[in-house]
Amino acid sequence: MSTVERPCLGHALLREQPALHRYVTSLVTTDPHHVEDIVQETLLRAWQDADRLDRDARPIRMWLFRTARNLVIDAWRKRRAVPAGLAPELGVDRPDHGNLAETVCDRVVLTDGLRRLPDAQREILVHVHLLGRAGEDVAAGLGIPPGTVKSRTHHAVRALRAVLEQAA
């Protein structure tokens, strides 16, 4: 019975690199530099995890392809994430098809009106109307009873209307 000598991990990785490169290119077709980054990161992780890889149970190619796919997905998620400080609920990414000058003017007037309100009323309006949060969630987040949220919202809307009517 002859034993087949298993090649060292470095040689196995070098043999799999062209197939891995083709696979990643099929996933990331737009940027060859990104493809190369994913391939290199995958090979680096294989080298770093060499002691945990069981190459006798299954071919290394399966591990490489799965790791590369996970890296592609992670990179995609990272690119599409909203930067800190911007709330997608506020419609930052939503195109406005109206008159841009009117939109800017309305936002300036609204922002100025909100600034003139007491802090508690402004905070309630932002949570309830701009962020669209439910009253119970706002109450839990601010540590106040739900009835207080309703009351403050009512009074804040009336106060904001009065401020905006004065501005008009």
Side-chain angles (χ1 to χ4, degrees), residues 82-119:
V82 176
L86 296 179
E89 302 89 26
L90 293 177
V92 174
D93 295 331
R94 196 174 41 215
D96 188 5
H97 298 292
N99 184 344
L100 184 59
E102 286 180 18
T103 303
V104 170
C105 185
D106 289 346
R107 287 183 182 177
V108 168
V109 169
L110 182 61
T111 303
D112 185 51
L114 286 170
R115 283 190 183 122
R116 293 181 183 188
L117 294 178
D119 291 341

mmCIF file of all heavy atoms in Angstrom, residues 82-119:
data_model
loop_
_atom_site.group_PDB
_atom_site.id
_atom_site.type_symbol
_atom_site.label_atom_id
_atom_site.label_comp_id
_atom_site.label_asym_id
_atom_site.label_seq_id
_atom_site.Cartn_x
_atom_site.Cartn_y
_atom_site.Cartn_z
ATOM 1 N N VAL A 82 -24.763 52.955 6.119
ATOM 2 C CA VAL A 82 -24.996 54.390 6.231
ATOM 3 C C VAL A 82 -23.955 54.967 7.187
ATOM 4 O O VAL A 82 -23.740 54.428 8.274
ATOM 5 C CB VAL A 82 -26.415 54.659 6.779
ATOM 6 C CG1 VAL A 82 -26.647 56.132 6.995
ATOM 7 C CG2 VAL A 82 -27.445 54.087 5.831
ATOM 8 N N PRO A 83 -23.293 56.046 6.804
ATOM 9 C CA PRO A 83 -22.314 56.642 7.704
ATOM 10 C C PRO A 83 -22.942 57.058 9.029
ATOM 11 O O PRO A 83 -24.113 57.421 9.078
ATOM 12 C CB PRO A 83 -21.821 57.885 6.936
ATOM 13 C CG PRO A 83 -22.202 57.646 5.524
ATOM 14 C CD PRO A 83 -23.403 56.758 5.543
ATOM 15 N N ALA A 84 -22.163 57.008 10.085
ATOM 16 C CA ALA A 84 -22.648 57.384 11.402
ATOM 17 C C ALA A 84 -23.140 58.823 11.385
ATOM 18 O O ALA A 84 -22.537 59.692 10.773
ATOM 19 C CB ALA A 84 -21.531 57.233 12.433
ATOM 20 N N GLY A 85 -24.265 59.040 12.046
ATOM 21 C CA GLY A 85 -24.807 60.383 12.126
ATOM 22 C C GLY A 85 -25.906 60.649 11.123
ATOM 23 O O GLY A 85 -26.627 61.628 11.248
ATOM 24 N N LEU A 86 -26.062 59.802 10.134
ATOM 25 C CA LEU A 86 -27.130 59.976 9.160
ATOM 26 C C LEU A 86 -28.173 58.907 9.389
ATOM 27 O O LEU A 86 -27.861 57.726 9.444
ATOM 28 C CB LEU A 86 -26.595 59.851 7.726
ATOM 29 C CG LEU A 86 -25.596 60.901 7.298
ATOM 30 C CD1 LEU A 86 -25.150 60.623 5.877
ATOM 31 C CD2 LEU A 86 -26.207 62.285 7.380
ATOM 32 N N ALA A 87 -29.403 59.306 9.544
ATOM 33 C CA ALA A 87 -30.488 58.356 9.761
ATOM 34 C C ALA A 87 -31.226 58.137 8.447
ATOM 35 O O ALA A 87 -31.755 59.082 7.883
ATOM 36 C CB ALA A 87 -31.435 58.882 10.830
ATOM 37 N N PRO A 88 -31.249 56.904 7.933
ATOM 38 C CA PRO A 88 -31.944 56.661 6.674
ATOM 39 C C PRO A 88 -33.433 56.982 6.772
ATOM 40 O O PRO A 88 -34.070 57.294 5.792
ATOM 41 C CB PRO A 88 -31.721 55.178 6.400
ATOM 42 C CG PRO A 88 -31.219 54.594 7.658
ATOM 43 C CD PRO A 88 -30.667 55.702 8.488
ATOM 44 N N GLU A 89 -33.995 56.941 7.995
ATOM 45 C CA GLU A 89 -35.407 57.243 8.164
ATOM 46 C C GLU A 89 -35.710 58.694 7.825
ATOM 47 O O GLU A 89 -36.838 59.066 7.559
ATOM 48 C CB GLU A 89 -35.856 56.985 9.608
ATOM 49 C CG GLU A 89 -35.632 55.559 10.067
ATOM 50 C CD GLU A 89 -34.255 55.370 10.680
ATOM 51 O OE1 GLU A 89 -33.677 56.336 11.201
ATOM 52 O OE2 GLU A 89 -33.747 54.253 10.625
ATOM 53 N N LEU A 90 -34.704 59.554 7.878
ATOM 54 C CA LEU A 90 -34.927 60.966 7.611
ATOM 55 C C LEU A 90 -34.973 61.269 6.124
ATOM 56 O O LEU A 90 -35.161 62.411 5.730
ATOM 57 C CB LEU A 90 -33.826 61.814 8.263
ATOM 58 C CG LEU A 90 -33.817 61.809 9.792
ATOM 59 C CD1 LEU A 90 -32.648 62.613 10.312
ATOM 60 C CD2 LEU A 90 -35.115 62.344 10.331
ATOM 61 N N GLY A 91 -34.803 60.274 5.301
ATOM 62 C CA GLY A 91 -34.922 60.474 3.863
ATOM 63 C C GLY A 91 -33.694 61.100 3.237
ATOM 64 O O GLY A 91 -33.793 61.779 2.223
ATOM 65 N N VAL A 92 -32.517 60.862 3.806
ATOM 66 C CA VAL A 92 -31.290 61.432 3.261
ATOM 67 C C VAL A 92 -31.045 60.934 1.848
ATOM 68 O O VAL A 92 -30.654 61.686 0.969
ATOM 69 C CB VAL A 92 -30.095 61.085 4.179
ATOM 70 C CG1 VAL A 92 -28.799 61.531 3.557
ATOM 71 C CG2 VAL A 92 -30.281 61.719 5.541
ATOM 72 N N ASP A 93 -31.332 59.657 1.601
ATOM 73 C CA ASP A 93 -31.071 59.071 0.290
ATOM 74 C C ASP A 93 -32.269 59.175 -0.653
ATOM 75 O O ASP A 93 -32.178 58.797 -1.801
ATOM 76 C CB ASP A 93 -30.699 57.587 0.441
ATOM 77 C CG ASP A 93 -29.397 57.420 1.187
ATOM 78 O OD1 ASP A 93 -28.558 58.319 1.093
ATOM 79 O OD2 ASP A 93 -29.230 56.403 1.866
ATOM 80 N N ARG A 94 -33.380 59.670 -0.157
ATOM 81 C CA ARG A 94 -34.590 59.733 -0.963
ATOM 82 C C ARG A 94 -34.537 60.961 -1.863
ATOM 83 O O ARG A 94 -34.379 62.075 -1.388
ATOM 84 C CB ARG A 94 -35.789 59.807 -0.018
ATOM 85 C CG ARG A 94 -37.085 59.509 -0.667
ATOM 86 C CD ARG A 94 -38.217 59.440 0.325
ATOM 87 N NE ARG A 94 -38.113 60.472 1.330
ATOM 88 C CZ ARG A 94 -38.478 60.315 2.597
ATOM 89 N NH1 ARG A 94 -38.952 59.185 2.999
ATOM 90 N NH2 ARG A 94 -38.368 61.292 3.454
ATOM 91 N N PRO A 95 -34.673 60.783 -3.165
ATOM 92 C CA PRO A 95 -34.636 61.942 -4.058
ATOM 93 C C PRO A 95 -35.898 62.777 -3.905
ATOM 94 O O PRO A 95 -36.984 62.251 -3.706
ATOM 95 C CB PRO A 95 -34.551 61.332 -5.457
ATOM 96 C CG PRO A 95 -35.131 59.976 -5.303
ATOM 97 C CD PRO A 95 -34.831 59.535 -3.897
ATOM 98 N N ASP A 96 -35.741 64.060 -3.982
ATOM 99 C CA ASP A 96 -36.871 64.970 -3.894
ATOM 100 C C ASP A 96 -37.130 65.505 -5.293
ATOM 101 O O ASP A 96 -36.275 66.138 -5.889
ATOM 102 C CB ASP A 96 -36.547 66.109 -2.928
ATOM 103 C CG ASP A 96 -37.760 66.979 -2.647
ATOM 104 O OD1 ASP A 96 -38.869 66.658 -3.109
ATOM 105 O OD2 ASP A 96 -37.592 67.985 -1.970
ATOM 106 N N HIS A 97 -38.323 65.247 -5.806
ATOM 107 C CA HIS A 97 -38.625 65.628 -7.173
ATOM 108 C C HIS A 97 -39.280 67.004 -7.266
ATOM 109 O O HIS A 97 -39.649 67.441 -8.335
ATOM 110 C CB HIS A 97 -39.521 64.570 -7.826
ATOM 111 C CG HIS A 97 -38.858 63.234 -7.894
ATOM 112 N ND1 HIS A 97 -37.769 62.978 -8.701
ATOM 113 C CD2 HIS A 97 -39.091 62.089 -7.227
ATOM 114 C CE1 HIS A 97 -37.381 61.731 -8.549
ATOM 115 N NE2 HIS A 97 -38.167 61.171 -7.659
ATOM 116 N N GLY A 98 -39.421 67.691 -6.127
ATOM 117 C CA GLY A 98 -40.020 69.017 -6.137
ATOM 118 C C GLY A 98 -38.983 70.086 -6.441
ATOM 119 O O GLY A 98 -37.852 69.809 -6.836
ATOM 120 N N ASN A 99 -39.394 71.304 -6.235
ATOM 121 C CA ASN A 99 -38.514 72.442 -6.456
ATOM 122 C C ASN A 99 -37.452 72.460 -5.357
ATOM 123 O O ASN A 99 -37.776 72.555 -4.166
ATOM 124 C CB ASN A 99 -39.358 73.725 -6.445
ATOM 125 C CG ASN A 99 -38.540 74.946 -6.754
ATOM 126 O OD1 ASN A 99 -37.315 74.930 -6.704
ATOM 127 N ND2 ASN A 99 -39.226 76.027 -7.079
ATOM 128 N N LEU A 100 -36.202 72.413 -5.738
ATOM 129 C CA LEU A 100 -35.115 72.350 -4.772
ATOM 130 C C LEU A 100 -35.067 73.604 -3.907
ATOM 131 O O LEU A 100 -34.847 73.521 -2.707
ATOM 132 C CB LEU A 100 -33.782 72.143 -5.498
ATOM 133 C CG LEU A 100 -32.555 71.972 -4.606
ATOM 134 C CD1 LEU A 100 -32.722 70.784 -3.677
ATOM 135 C CD2 LEU A 100 -31.309 71.807 -5.447
ATOM 136 N N ALA A 101 -35.307 74.762 -4.483
ATOM 137 C CA ALA A 101 -35.276 76.008 -3.717
ATOM 138 C C ALA A 101 -36.366 76.007 -2.648
ATOM 139 O O ALA A 101 -36.126 76.411 -1.506
ATOM 140 C CB ALA A 101 -35.441 77.208 -4.642
ATOM 141 N N GLU A 102 -37.554 75.528 -2.999
ATOM 142 C CA GLU A 102 -38.638 75.453 -2.016
ATOM 143 C C GLU A 102 -38.302 74.465 -0.910
ATOM 144 O O GLU A 102 -38.581 74.717 0.263
ATOM 145 C CB GLU A 102 -39.945 75.044 -2.695
ATOM 146 C CG GLU A 102 -40.578 76.122 -3.529
ATOM 147 C CD GLU A 102 -41.873 75.652 -4.174
ATOM 148 O OE1 GLU A 102 -42.451 74.633 -3.715
ATOM 149 O OE2 GLU A 102 -42.302 76.293 -5.140
ATOM 150 N N THR A 103 -37.722 73.337 -1.283
ATOM 151 C CA THR A 103 -37.352 72.324 -0.296
ATOM 152 C C THR A 103 -36.339 72.879 0.689
ATOM 153 O O THR A 103 -36.474 72.694 1.898
ATOM 154 C CB THR A 103 -36.779 71.079 -1.000
ATOM 155 O OG1 THR A 103 -37.753 70.589 -1.918
ATOM 156 C CG2 THR A 103 -36.423 69.998 -0.014
ATOM 157 N N VAL A 104 -35.333 73.558 0.186
ATOM 158 C CA VAL A 104 -34.307 74.146 1.057
ATOM 159 C C VAL A 104 -34.936 75.195 1.977
ATOM 160 O O VAL A 104 -34.675 75.221 3.176
ATOM 161 C CB VAL A 104 -33.156 74.750 0.219
ATOM 162 C CG1 VAL A 104 -32.215 75.565 1.092
ATOM 163 C CG2 VAL A 104 -32.401 73.654 -0.499
ATOM 164 N N CYS A 105 -35.781 76.028 1.413
ATOM 165 C CA CYS A 105 -36.448 77.064 2.196
ATOM 166 C C CYS A 105 -37.312 76.435 3.293
ATOM 167 O O CYS A 105 -37.277 76.871 4.448
ATOM 168 C CB CYS A 105 -37.279 77.951 1.288
ATOM 169 S SG CYS A 105 -38.034 79.332 2.144
ATOM 170 N N ASP A 106 -38.078 75.401 2.937
ATOM 171 C CA ASP A 106 -38.920 74.723 3.926
ATOM 172 C C ASP A 106 -38.086 74.119 5.045
ATOM 173 O O ASP A 106 -38.450 74.209 6.220
ATOM 174 C CB ASP A 106 -39.751 73.623 3.260
ATOM 175 C CG ASP A 106 -40.853 74.169 2.368
ATOM 176 O OD1 ASP A 106 -41.155 75.374 2.462
ATOM 177 O OD2 ASP A 106 -41.401 73.369 1.570
ATOM 178 N N ARG A 107 -36.971 73.506 4.690
ATOM 179 C CA ARG A 107 -36.110 72.897 5.714
ATOM 180 C C ARG A 107 -35.507 73.953 6.630
ATOM 181 O O ARG A 107 -35.393 73.739 7.834
ATOM 182 C CB ARG A 107 -35.008 72.067 5.056
ATOM 183 C CG ARG A 107 -35.527 70.788 4.483
ATOM 184 C CD ARG A 107 -34.427 69.946 3.897
ATOM 185 N NE ARG A 107 -34.995 68.745 3.305
ATOM 186 C CZ ARG A 107 -34.300 67.840 2.664
ATOM 187 N NH1 ARG A 107 -33.004 67.991 2.525
ATOM 188 N NH2 ARG A 107 -34.881 66.796 2.152
ATOM 189 N N VAL A 108 -35.130 75.088 6.061
ATOM 190 C CA VAL A 108 -34.563 76.156 6.889
ATOM 191 C C VAL A 108 -35.621 76.674 7.858
ATOM 192 O O VAL A 108 -35.350 76.870 9.053
ATOM 193 C CB VAL A 108 -34.011 77.298 5.995
ATOM 194 C CG1 VAL A 108 -33.695 78.534 6.813
ATOM 195 C CG2 VAL A 108 -32.778 76.822 5.249
ATOM 196 N N VAL A 109 -36.830 76.892 7.361
ATOM 197 C CA VAL A 109 -37.913 77.387 8.216
ATOM 198 C C VAL A 109 -38.232 76.370 9.305
ATOM 199 O O VAL A 109 -38.384 76.721 10.479
ATOM 200 C CB VAL A 109 -39.166 77.718 7.367
ATOM 201 C CG1 VAL A 109 -40.371 77.982 8.249
ATOM 202 C CG2 VAL A 109 -38.888 78.913 6.475
ATOM 203 N N LEU A 110 -38.326 75.088 8.941
ATOM 204 C CA LEU A 110 -38.628 74.051 9.915
ATOM 205 C C LEU A 110 -37.514 73.923 10.955
ATOM 206 O O LEU A 110 -37.787 73.837 12.156
ATOM 207 C CB LEU A 110 -38.845 72.707 9.209
ATOM 208 C CG LEU A 110 -39.204 71.537 10.113
ATOM 209 C CD1 LEU A 110 -40.508 71.801 10.859
ATOM 210 C CD2 LEU A 110 -39.312 70.253 9.303
ATOM 211 N N THR A 111 -36.291 73.931 10.520
ATOM 212 C CA THR A 111 -35.164 73.840 11.450
ATOM 213 C C THR A 111 -35.153 75.023 12.409
ATOM 214 O O THR A 111 -34.941 74.863 13.618
ATOM 215 C CB THR A 111 -33.834 73.766 10.671
ATOM 216 O OG1 THR A 111 -33.885 72.661 9.782
ATOM 217 C CG2 THR A 111 -32.652 73.610 11.596
ATOM 218 N N ASP A 112 -35.393 76.215 11.876
ATOM 219 C CA ASP A 112 -35.440 77.410 12.722
ATOM 220 C C ASP A 112 -36.589 77.296 13.722
ATOM 221 O O ASP A 112 -36.429 77.646 14.900
ATOM 222 C CB ASP A 112 -35.589 78.661 11.860
ATOM 223 C CG ASP A 112 -35.508 79.930 12.683
ATOM 224 O OD1 ASP A 112 -34.530 80.064 13.457
ATOM 225 O OD2 ASP A 112 -36.427 80.774 12.569
ATOM 226 N N GLY A 113 -37.752 76.810 13.256
ATOM 227 C CA GLY A 113 -38.885 76.632 14.157
ATOM 228 C C GLY A 113 -38.587 75.630 15.256
ATOM 229 O O GLY A 113 -38.942 75.846 16.420
ATOM 230 N N LEU A 114 -37.940 74.537 14.910
ATOM 231 C CA LEU A 114 -37.585 73.536 15.924
ATOM 232 C C LEU A 114 -36.600 74.097 16.943
ATOM 233 O O LEU A 114 -36.678 73.784 18.134
ATOM 234 C CB LEU A 114 -37.002 72.286 15.256
ATOM 235 C CG LEU A 114 -37.998 71.379 14.547
ATOM 236 C CD1 LEU A 114 -37.269 70.321 13.724
ATOM 237 C CD2 LEU A 114 -38.927 70.714 15.552
ATOM 238 N N ARG A 115 -35.689 74.931 16.499
ATOM 239 C CA ARG A 115 -34.712 75.527 17.415
ATOM 240 C C ARG A 115 -35.377 76.440 18.449
ATOM 241 O O ARG A 115 -34.850 76.625 19.536
ATOM 242 C CB ARG A 115 -33.674 76.331 16.632
ATOM 243 C CG ARG A 115 -32.650 75.491 15.958
ATOM 244 C CD ARG A 115 -31.509 76.332 15.407
ATOM 245 N NE ARG A 115 -30.576 75.483 14.706
ATOM 246 C CZ ARG A 115 -30.238 75.640 13.441
ATOM 247 N NH1 ARG A 115 -30.715 76.639 12.734
ATOM 248 N NH2 ARG A 115 -29.394 74.804 12.869
ATOM 249 N N ARG A 116 -36.508 77.010 18.092
ATOM 250 C CA ARG A 116 -37.196 77.938 18.999
ATOM 251 C C ARG A 116 -38.028 77.219 20.059
ATOM 252 O O ARG A 116 -38.493 77.850 20.995
ATOM 253 C CB ARG A 116 -38.095 78.879 18.193
ATOM 254 C CG ARG A 116 -37.300 79.815 17.329
ATOM 255 C CD ARG A 116 -38.205 80.740 16.584
ATOM 256 N NE ARG A 116 -37.422 81.586 15.688
ATOM 257 C CZ ARG A 116 -37.921 82.586 15.026
ATOM 258 N NH1 ARG A 116 -39.201 82.902 15.140
ATOM 259 N NH2 ARG A 116 -37.152 83.294 14.232
ATOM 260 N N LEU A 117 -38.219 75.926 19.895
ATOM 261 C CA LEU A 117 -39.005 75.170 20.870
ATOM 262 C C LEU A 117 -38.148 74.796 22.070
ATOM 263 O O LEU A 117 -36.919 74.678 21.966
ATOM 264 C CB LEU A 117 -39.538 73.886 20.234
ATOM 265 C CG LEU A 117 -40.551 74.030 19.112
ATOM 266 C CD1 LEU A 117 -40.927 72.655 18.579
ATOM 267 C CD2 LEU A 117 -41.785 74.769 19.585
ATOM 268 N N PRO A 118 -38.792 74.570 23.221
ATOM 269 C CA PRO A 118 -38.043 74.037 24.370
ATOM 270 C C PRO A 118 -37.446 72.670 24.025
ATOM 271 O O PRO A 118 -37.980 71.931 23.187
ATOM 272 C CB PRO A 118 -39.115 73.912 25.460
ATOM 273 C CG PRO A 118 -40.217 74.819 25.041
ATOM 274 C CD PRO A 118 -40.182 74.860 23.549
ATOM 275 N N ASP A 119 -36.367 72.321 24.691
ATOM 276 C CA ASP A 119 -35.658 71.074 24.394
ATOM 277 C C ASP A 119 -36.569 69.846 24.451
ATOM 278 O O ASP A 119 -36.498 68.977 23.585
ATOM 279 C CB ASP A 119 -34.482 70.882 25.353
ATOM 280 C CG ASP A 119 -33.365 71.876 25.118
ATOM 281 O OD1 ASP A 119 -33.323 72.475 24.020
ATOM 282 O OD2 ASP A 119 -32.533 72.063 26.022
#
